[in-house]
Every structure is written in C-alpha cells, then in structure tokens.
Amino acid sequence: MTDLSHPGAAGRGIDRSQAIYWGVAALTTILVFGPITPIIFQAFLDKPLYDDSAVVTIGNFTRLFSEPGMAGVFFNTLYFGALTMIVAQVFGAVMAVLVGRTNLPGRKWLGEIFIWPLFVSNLVIAFGWFTMYGPSGFITLAAKTYLGGAPWNLYTVTGMGIVAGLSQAPLTYLMCLAAVTKADPLLEDAARSTGAGPFRALFSVTIPMIRPAIIYSAVLNFVVGIEMLAIPLLFGGPSGIQTVTTFLYNAGINAAVRPEYGIVGAAAVILLLVVAFLVWLQGFLMKGAGRFVTVRGKASRPSTLDLGAWRWPAFLFVFAFAFLTIISIFGGIFMRSAVSFLTPLIPFWKVLTTANFEHVLGSANYVRSIVNSVLVATIGAAIGTFFILVIALVARRSDFRHNRALEYIALFPRSLPGIIAGLGFFYAVIWLPGADVIRGTILVLILAFMIRYIPVGFGAIAPALAQVGEELDRGARISGADWWTTVTRIIVPILKPALFSCYALLFIHFFKEYVTAAFLYQPGSEIIGTTMLQLVAQGDNGPVSALATIQVVITAAFVILARRVMGAKIYG
C-alpha cells in the first residue's frame, strides 16, 4: 500500500496542518481587510493619511453632504441602480422562461448569444451602445434619417438605467435559466390536471418557484448598478450627471489640483456600507430558499411548453431583443474598428480601413496594455486559483476551528465594489511601509483583482468539493497521512475540472477588469481597460473600438479553448 504519510512528520515540533491553517487565515484576512482599513482611516482624517500632521475628524462627512449637488448624486445612484435592476429582471426572467421551458425556434443558439455580454467588461458594452445608440450612433442616425427621429436619449439617468438594465439582463437570464430548467414537471402537471392551461400553469406554478433566483439576481443587479462606472461615466459625464462612482473617479483621479482624499474616503465608506447591507439583505432573503427546492432524488425532466401559434411571434420578440441589445452592440464595435467613420448614409465597405488597428499595434503603450492584460489574466488567474483552492480546502475540508470565519472573510469581497478595491489598494501602497515597491506594477493589479474575485473562484470550487465524500479524507488520515498530504494527493486530483473552471472564470474577470485598476496603474502597467478609459475621455473612438475588438477576440478564443480543451464550465 502506498504510504501517504508526510516523510519525517512524526517527531517534529511543528504541526504542518495547523501552520497552513493559520497562515492561510492570516494572509486572507490581511489581503481582504488591508485595502479597506486605509479607506476608513482616510474618511476620518482631515489630511491625506500619509501626512503625519493629520488629525481625526468627522468633518469629511459633513463636507461631503454639504457639497453642492451631493444629494442629487446619491439620488441618481439609487435611481440608476433601481432602474438597472427592474429592466434586467423583467427582460432576463422572460428570456429565461421562453428559452428554457418552451419550444421556441432557435432557442439553443439564442441562449448562447444571451451570455456573450458576460464575457466582456461593461466598458466595452457601454462603448458599443454609444457607437450604435449615441447621439451620432449608427442606429440613431438611421432612425433620424428614415424614421424622422430617434425616441431614445442615453444622456439621462433614465436612459443610462435602461442601457445598464439591458446590459445586465443576461445575468438575470443565466440565473433564472438554471432554476426554470430544473423545476419539477409534476407540479405543472398537477396544475394542468385541475384545468389550468399551459400558460396559466407556467406563470402560476413555475415562475413563483424560481423566486430565489429572481431575488438573488435582483439584489445582485442593484449592487452592480450602484457600483457601475462605465455607463454613468460615458453617458452621464457629458451631460453633467454624476453617480457616487463617477464622483469618486473624478474627485480621486481627475481632480483639478489634487485629489480630495477626505471626501473621497467618506463617500467610499458610505458606498461600501450600502453594498455590504445589500449583500447581507441578499443572504437574508435567501434564507427561505429551501421551500422552493423541487429537484429531489427521483429523476425528472421538465416538460417543454408548446407555444403553438405563438412560436414565431415569440421568436421574433426574442430575436429582436438579442439583435438590438447584443448583436448590434458587438457588431457596432467591430464595424467601427474597421472604418474611418461609421454612418448609415455611406456603405461601410466604402470607408474600410486598417488605420485603427495600425495605430493601436504601432503604439508601444497600446501594445503594452494588451500584453499586460494577458499577463495579469494568465498569471493572476493561476495564482488566484491556487490561493482560492487552499482557502476552500481549509474552510470546507479541515478541522481548523475558525474555518467558518475564514469562509466569511473570503466571501466578504462580494461587498467590495471594484472602485473601492482599487482606491483601497492605492491608499495601502502609499501608506504602508515597504508597500510602495509594488506601486505602479502589474503585481498590485494581480493582488487587487485576486482579492476582489475570491468569491467567484470559491463559487466554482466549493460545490465540487462538497461532492467529494469525506470518507476519502478519513481513509487517508487513518493510514497516517497528515491533512496537507491527504488533500493534495487525494482531493485535489478529483477537483481538476472545478479548478479548470475556476481558472477560466478568473481569467475572464481579470482580463475584462478595469475599474479596480483605475487608481492603481501607472505608465508601464496599463491594461486594455485603463487605456480605453483614457481614449474615451479624449474622444478617440477609432482606437477604442480597435482595442475593444482585440479584447473581445482574445476573450472569445480563450472561452472556446477553455470549454472545448479544458472542459471548463463557464457561466452554467
């Protein structure tokens, strides 16, 4: 029999397992709360936290709420977040039901299209909406030319909220799809046996049963809305509309003389508290989710609702949604990258050019941003996967007495908006002794991204870990193996598919991230997202579209590779 015991472990004075437990717990706590601590300190200091003469004060909060227009900023944020949530929930849930439970024509390929936006940043999506539906957008000009006017205006809070909601609908779709396809068909059959028609059974039985998915995605979309930067910055900036995130961005980075550290810290703390409350509310509302469990030990397959004469009208509705909110958005980005200017008045093939790509690929700064993005995603995802794996093993498969606390700490970044994470790391590297050595490097970007997306990776590994029987652990431990030997030789090999999925998810999130990096990058550590932010501010739309196209192509290639070669499970 193979000896699984750690060579030389007996007789040593140090328990390797306990050392790993405490080391992982300490490192996780430092990395998670390290960036938050200086923000809280800064919120209560009258000067920058690196200034030794700074004294404690609550004046920053007083100044914040007395700032002209600040009440409007908070109102805009809440209204924008609420509208984002409502629009996303309505369209996402409807699409999930139509694709997941009906005989809708083309539902397989339509379902694939619906998840495209989840693979790219909302900065790319926002630019796509600007290209097609902005004041001089392709579809806007076509509507003005051939229809006499365009009935939309994206430069209002309502317009921004609708755009954000339609952009977030794929997230609701994905979460509701998983629930609606697993609903017990016997419940619908029972309703049908009492005389209910197919639509009555669907809306009276099935849709209420997916309430947990609707609640979870609703709160998540509200959180995404109030912490979103790209859409409020792109559409709100020109019209003078601010949300909390754009206020933090402008006051912290684009301040005319020097950043208002105190006010920025106070606003960041308020945003952090709001998001933390919403995440808590999400968990509280999900406490009763067990009442909605319909998948039991007995195998069952949900029946498909026959739409009858409504099949093709439903298809036209779903296809119109996919075309107007997804296909046209990506198509607009691709077209704009390949032309000198984009207008419906001139056939695009008459203005084709490679100048945008030549400009991007001929610039050392732009090429470096592409290379840095690939490096951050490739290396960062590998480091993050290993770190999250160890956290999950300690939290879920060890006798560490603080394992539950470790899991709560690891999942806390769900409450950490990207702009707060970036701001916190920015404060930390200028405040903590010795931390300045990583300032302006891609290492600080990797650390910031890794901490922010621990919950994403944990969500990929923990369910697979729960499916591994604990008798495997006990068998190895009885034979004399210590904890680390047991998990590395027995548990980890079984988790390979989940680890591939974790790596793929982290790669995608790291590659598309830009908000967290906004405060952290310096010349030499640019990534695609931060370069796009600069170019958007300059109105240089050609290079922006070229960079966005490159980002989408690289992401698409990776997703195909991850799915077909690595067998990774990405977004369901």
Side-chain angles (χ1 to χ4, degrees), residues 71-312:
V73 170
F74 283 104
F75 174 79
N76 289 342
T77 303
L78 294 176
Y79 176 58
F80 175 73
L83 189 56
T84 297
M85 175 188 69
I86 293 171
V87 173
Q89 295 309 109
V90 170
F91 284 95
V94 169
M95 296 303 155
V97 172
L98 289 175
V99 172
R101 292 303 301 274
T102 72
N103 62 340
L104 183 79
R107 59 179 184 160
K108 183 175 182 179
W109 58 267
L110 284 170
E112 285 292 320
I113 291 175
F114 284 149
I115 65 172
W116 286 0
L118 299 177
F119 297 136
V120 299
S121 71
N122 55 37
L123 177 60
V124 171
I125 299 297
F127 182 73
W129 277 90
F130 170 80
T131 301
M132 301 303 283
Y133 295 96
S136 300
F138 185 86
I139 295 179
T140 301
L141 291 179
K144 290 179 178 178
T145 302
Y146 302 110
L147 302 178
W152 55 81
N153 179 12
L154 306 188
Y155 287 76
T156 64
V157 182
T158 300
M160 289 166 18
I162 293 174
V163 169
L166 293 174
S167 301
Q168 286 299 119
L171 182 61
T172 303
Y173 161 80
L174 191 65
M175 292 185 172
C176 291
L177 182 68
V180 79
T181 54
K182 295 178 181 178
D184 190 344
L186 296 178
L187 300 175
E188 286 182 0
D189 292 341
R192 296 286 297 275
S193 67
T194 61
F199 283 99
R200 178 67 182 274
L202 184 67
F203 287 96
S204 299
V205 177
T206 303
I207 291 182
M209 292 302 296
I210 65 172
R211 191 185 306 169
I214 293 176
I215 292 173
Y216 188 88
S217 58
V219 179
L220 184 58
N221 279 321
F222 186 70
V223 170
V224 170
I226 65 175
E227 69 178 34
M228 187 178 290
L229 175 64
I231 291 175
L233 187 66
L234 199 60
F235 299 117
S239 53
I241 299 173
Q242 279 196 320
T243 62
V244 173
T245 52
T246 56
F247 170 80
L248 289 171
Y249 180 79
N250 291 322
I253 294 180
N254 296 333
V257 180
R258 69 173 185 173
E260 288 281 354
Y261 289 119
I263 292 181
V264 168
V269 167
I270 293 174
L271 179 61
L272 181 62
L273 291 175
V274 170
V275 174
F277 169 75
L278 290 172
V279 171
W280 171 85
L281 179 64
Q282 186 182 58
F284 176 79
L285 294 174
M286 291 295 290
K287 281 185 177 180
R291 297 185 295 114
F292 300 90
V293 173
T294 63
V295 179
R296 302 293 183 182
K298 184 179 179 180
S300 61
R301 183 179 180 84
S303 57
T304 299
L305 175 67
D306 186 0
L307 294 175
W310 289 98
R311 286 185 72 218
W312 290 105

